[in-house]
Amino acid sequence: MTDRYCVFGNPIKHSKSPQIHAEFAHQTQQALEYTAEEAPLDGFAGAWRAFVDAGGRGANVTVPFKSDAFALCDTLSHRARRAEAVNTLIVGGNGRTYGDTTDGIGLVRDLAYHRVGVAGKRILVVGAGGAVRGILEPLLAEQPSEVVVVNRTAAKAEQLAHDFADLGAISGGGFDTLSGQFDIVINGTSASLSGDLPPLPDGLFAPHAWAYDMMYGAEPTVFLHWAGPRGAKLLDGLGMLVEQAAESFFLWRNVRPETAPVREMLRQSLNYL
């Protein structure tokens, strides 16, 4: 019997998740079907229930439904409770819904794949939305010297820093509070999708620093365009996408796929970094 999985989003036609999971399934010889499902903006819970009633075993969840997924779960992982968001749903043997988030693991594993060390490094995270909340626990677990969160609305960054202060050295504020240089600068805003650049100062990057945009596209993002001439080495979020998908696949199937060939396949389709 072929088990059914999907990714929920709105819009969702652009998603590369079906392609990624088809490769994982072929690689690991798992009998599964993975589709992209566009849920109504006000009807995510109903779409999930209908999918389960039709035999669905699990799903990924992307924008704008990660908070909706969090709300409907019967059981949550520790990291999902921290993130207050879910990107991976699993139907348990008792029919109950278990929720987890793999976004932060995806980021940390992507950095490791590119041999970008986090321990002891000073890290700037731009943005204070759900995407950033999902990466802070795994990032702090790598023991950076400091994580600084900045946001246009300073209070949101300050609140995030307060919420995660028990896990390590973290502070938050507005862009006007930025000082010093950083070893890794992570753009966790959706500004790249609209071609906007956060108001970041020059002189932000330490020698040999990395600029990481959690977004990706057919061209370098506006953030990466800005960071390159200022001396940073560049990474986009394509590897994070593959790594978070691999963790979801492992949670569903208890087998861990190889990510390198899937990364290469997707990178060739974009072919700019």
Side-chain angles (χ1 to χ4, degrees):
M1 182 179 175
T2 300
D3 290 335
R4 292 187 60 202
Y5 299 89
C6 76
V7 57
F8 285 107
N10 188 326
I12 199 60
K13 289 181 180 179
H14 67 284
S15 176
K16 296 188 181 298
S17 293
Q19 188 179 1
I20 293 170
H21 285 280
E23 291 294 324
F24 288 163
H26 176 74
Q27 183 191 114
T28 59
Q29 299 182 314
Q30 295 286 304
L32 62 87
E33 172 191 350
Y34 188 106
T35 57
E37 305 290 335
E38 186 169 285
L41 290 175
D42 59 351
F44 173 75
W48 166 245
R49 285 194 296 270
F51 182 72
V52 173
D53 290 344
R57 300 298 306 153
N60 285 128
V61 183
T62 188
V63 175
F65 298 124
K66 292 182 182 182
S67 294
D68 298 85
F70 176 82
L72 66 75
C73 289
D74 300 302
T75 310
L76 293 160
S77 70
H78 171 76
R79 58 194 180 195
R81 285 195 297 271
R82 272 281 189 180
E84 296 181 1
V86 160
N87 83 330
T88 304
L89 293 169
I90 304 166
V91 181
N94 56 3
R96 291 166 66 83
T97 299
Y98 174 80
D100 205 341
T101 179
T102 65
D103 287 331
I105 287 177
L107 170 66
V108 168
R109 287 187 181 154
D110 190 34
L111 291 171
Y113 179 88
H114 291 284
R115 296 181 172 84
V116 180
V118 174
K121 299 298 177 64
R122 190 168 190 243
I123 300 174
L124 174 65
V125 180
V126 183
V132 167
R133 191 175 188 94
I135 68 169
L136 288 178
E137 181 181 20
L139 201 58
L140 287 163
E142 297 297 305
Q143 298 185 313
S145 65
E146 181 185 16
V147 171
V148 177
V149 181
V150 291
N151 192 58
R152 292 180 192 272
T153 305
K156 290 184 178 180
E158 293 165 359
Q159 184 62 51
L160 272 187
H162 175 268
D163 291 347
F164 288 85
D166 60 312
L167 300 181
I170 182 171
S171 61
F175 287 95
D176 59 344
T177 65
L178 278 174
S179 63
Q181 294 184 320
F182 295 86
D183 302 296
I184 304 171
V185 178
I186 299 171
N187 180 27
T189 73
S190 59
S192 295
L193 298 178
S194 56
D196 294 329
L197 180 69
L200 297 167
D202 288 336
L204 200 60
F205 297 104
H208 314 295
W210 289 87
Y212 191 106
D213 200 320
M214 289 168 60
M215 302 292 116
Y216 69 92
E219 300 291 335
T221 67
V222 65
F223 169 70
L224 296 181
H225 266 304
W226 175 84
R230 288 161 176 79
K233 293 173 282 187
L234 310 179
L235 286 172
D236 70 5
L238 190 68
M240 176 179 171
L241 174 70
V242 176
E243 294 295 341
Q244 64 82 23
E247 183 66 14
S248 294
F249 191 90
F250 174 74
L251 291 171
W252 294 325
R253 311 301 294 182
N254 199 33
V255 59
R256 195 172 294 283
E258 292 291 329
T259 58
V262 181
R263 285 168 166 271
E264 181 62 23
M265 175 193 70
L266 293 179
R267 182 58 68 197
Q268 285 182 1
S269 72
L270 295 179
N271 197 28
Y272 70 81
L273 277 181

